[in-house]
């Protein structure tokens, strides 16, 4: 499998998880109740996604290991090319974090 498709799939999966979790929580009737932890859950995951975005954007050792994994499992990319692909598709983490953040803020303001 192509390295670009593997990396895109990983980041699209994280974004889909964000959208899916928010959709699941929002469709529940009691998610805006005061004792509900759903709002804090969404804000915590927004922070986690934003941290992961900044980690994937920078040239850290964890990125090197992610790129090494993708270059060894996929076809058609060296470790440096995989690093560039990880950087290129990391804004999907930002998108997922924004989904969680907006849902958390809406939950705080309407609760």
């Amino acid at each position: 499998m192509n390295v670009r498709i593997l990396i895109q799939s990983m980041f699209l999966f994280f974004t889909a998880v964000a959208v899916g979790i928010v959709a699941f929580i929002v469709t529940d009737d009691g998610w805006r109740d005061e004792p509900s932890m759903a709002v804090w859950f969404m804000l915590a995951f927004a922070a986690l996604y934003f941290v992961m975005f900044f980690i994937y954007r920078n040239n850290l050792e964890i990125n090197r290991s992610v790129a090494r994994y993708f270059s060894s499992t996929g076809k058609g990319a060296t470790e440096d090319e995989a690093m560039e692909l990880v950087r290129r598709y990391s804004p999907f983490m930002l998108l997922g974090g924004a989904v969680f953040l907006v849902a958390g803020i809406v939950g705080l303001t309407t609760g």
Side-chain angles (χ1 to χ4, degrees), residues 21-107:
I21 288 173
V22 168
F24 178 75
I25 291 174
V26 170
T27 57
D28 183 26
D29 290 336
W31 80 282
R32 290 190 193 113
D33 293 341
E34 191 63 37
S36 176
M37 291 300 295
V39 172
W40 300 110
F41 169 80
M42 288 187 275
L43 293 174
F45 266 85
L48 178 67
Y49 270 50
F50 289 138
V51 166
M52 289 171 62
F53 166 73
F54 288 114
I55 287 173
Y56 285 132
R57 280 309 260 190
N58 295 322
N59 192 12
L60 301 174
E61 186 58 36
I62 191 169
N63 293 352
R64 204 53 67 198
S65 64
V66 169
R68 196 174 302 124
Y69 169 76
F70 281 122
S71 66
S72 67
T73 58
K75 298 176 187 170
T78 64
E79 185 177 321
D80 291 330
E81 291 169 343
M83 279 284 285
E84 183 57 36
L85 288 170
V86 167
R87 272 191 226 109
R88 182 184 310 161
Y89 294 113
S90 64
F92 284 112
M93 295 305 294
L94 194 61
L95 177 65
V99 168
F100 275 127
L101 183 65
V102 168
I105 290 172
V106 167

